[in-house]
Amino acid sequence: MKMTIKEVIVAEGRDDEIAIKKAVDAEIITTHGFAFGRKLINLLKEMDKKKGIIIFTDSDYVGSQIRKRIADEIPTAKHAYLSQRVSTKHGDIGVENASPEEILKALKAARATKTEKSTEFTMADLIKNNLVNSDDASRRREMLSEILKIGYGNGKKTLSKLNSFGITREEFEEAMKEVNSHR
């Protein structure tokens, strides 16, 4: 039996919708790419009030632009992320390429952006953990973002996500243990 997600999932296209439905039972609204308009935003605002929404777009440039555009309008939306590693097939990046297990993991880990940003983490935390200013910082941030399901970013973006998604110090330290075990 598939897990039911109460929130409405916002995906980019039909193939994403099909892949998500293989993993979970949920209502899905597709943007059909970046060219959506005010009508879709208004619908998503209504859905957010009634059930909540989870933005679940591809981990590429267009996906991040769609995510940003919706999140700017609906700051209470939750965010689900897949790493490029698990969502790439034959050079194509997309939710539709991920396994049902990875899709389920990402949706279970969906987080809302906090309205009041925390300052739990500073650049000093990233430096201390070799997430910036080291030869393998990019690889380490990629592993960290995959473990925490927060989406990949450069140092500044990773720091922002750690604070805005309300990652706890304990979650961060556990994730860093896992990152450090892959040397």
Side-chain angles (χ1 to χ4, degrees), residues 31-160:
T31 67
H32 301 290
F34 190 72
F36 58 89
R38 195 84 232 147
K39 187 176 176 182
L40 179 67
I41 292 293
N42 291 338
L43 173 63
L44 294 177
K45 284 181 175 182
E46 281 304 308
M47 292 292 106
D48 189 51
K49 284 179 193 166
K50 291 177 184 171
K51 300 172 81 173
I53 66 169
I54 298 174
I55 304 169
F56 195 28
T57 56
D58 298 346
S59 55
D60 59 7
Y61 179 76
V62 174
S64 68
Q65 292 302 302
I66 292 169
R67 180 184 299 277
K68 181 182 179 341
R69 198 166 147 204
I70 295 170
D72 285 349
E73 293 277 347
I74 309 169
T76 53
K78 288 183 179 178
H79 297 265
Y81 291 92
L82 286 169
S83 71
Q84 287 188 358
R85 183 184 64 77
V86 301
S87 63
T88 302
K89 187 186 230 176
H90 308 298
D92 175 52
I93 299 170
V95 170
E96 75 273 11
N97 298 321
S99 70
E101 296 77 25
E102 290 296 336
I103 289 171
L104 179 59
K105 279 196 258 182
L107 289 169
K108 284 169 105 177
R111 299 173 183 264
T113 304
K114 291 170 55 179
T115 50
E116 291 180 22
K117 270 193 178 177
S118 154
T119 53
E120 174 72 25
F121 301 97
T122 65
M123 195 53 77
D125 292 303
L126 301 188
I127 293 167
K128 176 183 167 193
N129 287 282
N130 296 316
L131 296 168
V132 293
N133 301 338
S134 72
D135 291 340
D136 65 342
S138 177
R139 180 186 65 80
R140 291 172 63 78
R141 283 193 312 275
E142 185 175 356
M143 286 193 300
L144 177 70
S145 66
E146 190 170 334
I147 294 163
L148 293 174
K149 304 283 187 238
I150 60 172
Y152 177 77
N154 62 21
K156 188 175 176 182
K157 190 72 175 167
T158 298
L159 180 60
S160 174

Side-chain angles (χ1 to χ4, degrees), residues 156-172:
K156 188 175 176 182
K157 190 72 175 167
T158 298
L159 180 60
S160 174
K161 287 180 177 193
L162 288 171
N163 286 320
S164 64
F165 286 131
I167 305 295
T168 65
R169 179 65 60 179
E170 183 180 36
E171 285 176 293
F172 176 76

